Amino acid sequence: MIELRTPTEIDEMRPAGAFVASVLQATAAAAKVGVNLLALDKLAHDMIRRAGAESCYIDYHPSFGASPFGKVLCTSVNDAVLHGLPRDYVLRDGDLLSLDFAASVDGWVTDSAISVVVGTPRDEDLRLIDTTTRALDAGIAAAQPGGRLGDISAAIAAVALADGLSINTDFGGHGVGRTMHGDPHIPNNGRAGRGLPLKPGLVIAIEPWFLHTTDKIFTDPDGWTLRSADGSRGAHMEHTVAITEAGPVVLTARS
């Protein structure tokens, strides 16, 4: 069911958005060569405790997950692009790391993701991150009242296709509010002018993710981490966005 939020409710979601943004900023800053992924998860977990927030991941067990997630932060490295289950892995120079985080504050949930290079970057990784960032920006700009859901999908796809990337539509954006994942599903490819009307009060997570040379993925033996079929690297960007009478408002904006 798709729920529309009042302006008051959208304001009530702002603390959750600011908290999620702060955790991503802190974990991205801490992602240095020699740092263990489990340490990043612990940092996020400690911030949740101090804020009195609640994790959306630790008990999360959807149909595609092998078991409850058990951690509070997704850490996807190199050929992993989504749902990376934190493990005993020490970050190396040149790793491409995607961090995805959602939490509930006072009963409201927001969701966001960021990709960064650890240490010395590869040019192709920086280009992939740039493309994914621009695709997110395009999707947000298209989230206008009076538009259609397909406008967001088409805007994301236009950026990716212009840079020669292929697009997987199995996983994408989604509604967010009292829970982390809700309707509508927002694929990263679609036709402008088609789909659900975009009305003020709709709150959605917009999340483009792309791989260098494929759109095919498989699930790691850990039962969660999604990896590229050909070993190429991936990038993932996401913001929680409220559609208002005045246009889109990014609730998880990072300073």
Side-chain angles (χ1 to χ4, degrees):
M1 182 176 69
I2 296 171
E3 297 183 80
L4 300 180
R5 305 300 177 186
T6 67
T8 297
E9 288 176 322
I10 291 172
D11 282 341
E12 290 173 352
M13 294 183 73
R14 291 180 184 274
F19 174 68
V20 165
S22 72
V23 171
L24 283 180
Q25 286 178 301
T27 50
K32 307 292 187 183
V33 175
V35 172
N36 197 299
L37 295 181
L38 295 175
L40 296 180
D41 185 72
K42 182 179 183 303
L43 172 59
H45 210 155
D46 289 345
M47 292 181 73
I48 288 171
R49 289 194 190 98
R50 288 197 299 270
E54 295 182 15
S55 170
C56 292
Y57 290 170
I58 198 161
D59 295 322
Y60 186 52
H61 190 188
S63 59
F64 57 80
S67 61
F69 191 72
K71 304 294 182 183
V72 301
L73 180 71
C74 289
T75 55
S76 303
V77 182
N78 297 333
D79 65 320
V81 66
L82 295 174
H83 308 162
L85 184 64
R87 58 192 172 94
D88 186 12
Y89 174 84
V90 175
L91 290 167
R92 302 169 183 172
D93 189 46
D95 278 346
L96 175 51
L97 171 67
S98 296
L99 300 166
D100 191 358
F101 181 73
S104 174
V105 176
D106 296 328
W108 292 108
V109 173
T110 61
D111 191 3
S112 188
I114 187 172
S115 291
V116 297
V117 176
V118 178
T120 309
R122 301 181 185 185
D123 288 342
E124 61 267 29
D125 289 344
L126 294 178
R127 287 195 297 270
L128 184 63
I129 291 173
D130 177 68
T131 300
T132 312
T133 302
R134 288 187 290 108
L136 174 59
D137 291 343
I140 293 170
Q144 297 291 339
R148 295 274 181 169
L149 198 67
D151 299 344
I152 299 172
S153 301
I156 291 169
V159 174
L161 296 174
D163 283 4
L165 300 176
S166 56
I167 302 168
N168 179 298
T169 56
D170 292 339
F171 294 92
H174 50 88
V176 65
R178 291 296 189 183
T179 60
M180 178 172 60
H181 286 144
D183 293 329
H185 171 64
I186 307 165
N188 288 321
N189 197 358
R191 294 177 61 184
R194 303 292 290 272
L196 178 79
L198 300 177
K199 298 180 180 180
L202 183 65
V203 182
I204 52 178
I206 301 174
E207 54 176 316
W209 61 274
F210 308 117
L211 298 158
H212 275 302
T213 56
T214 186
D215 58 14
K216 302 297 189 294
I217 53 177
F218 71 94
T219 304
D220 187 89
D222 68 15
W224 274 98
T225 305
L226 296 180
R227 298 185 180 277
S228 67
D230 64 358
S232 62
R233 296 182 173 205
H236 177 203
M237 294 288 187
E238 177 182 17
H239 272 311
T240 294
V241 179
I243 297 174
T244 73
E245 295 281 1
V249 173
V250 179
L251 298 177
T252 50
R254 295 180 285 273
S255 59

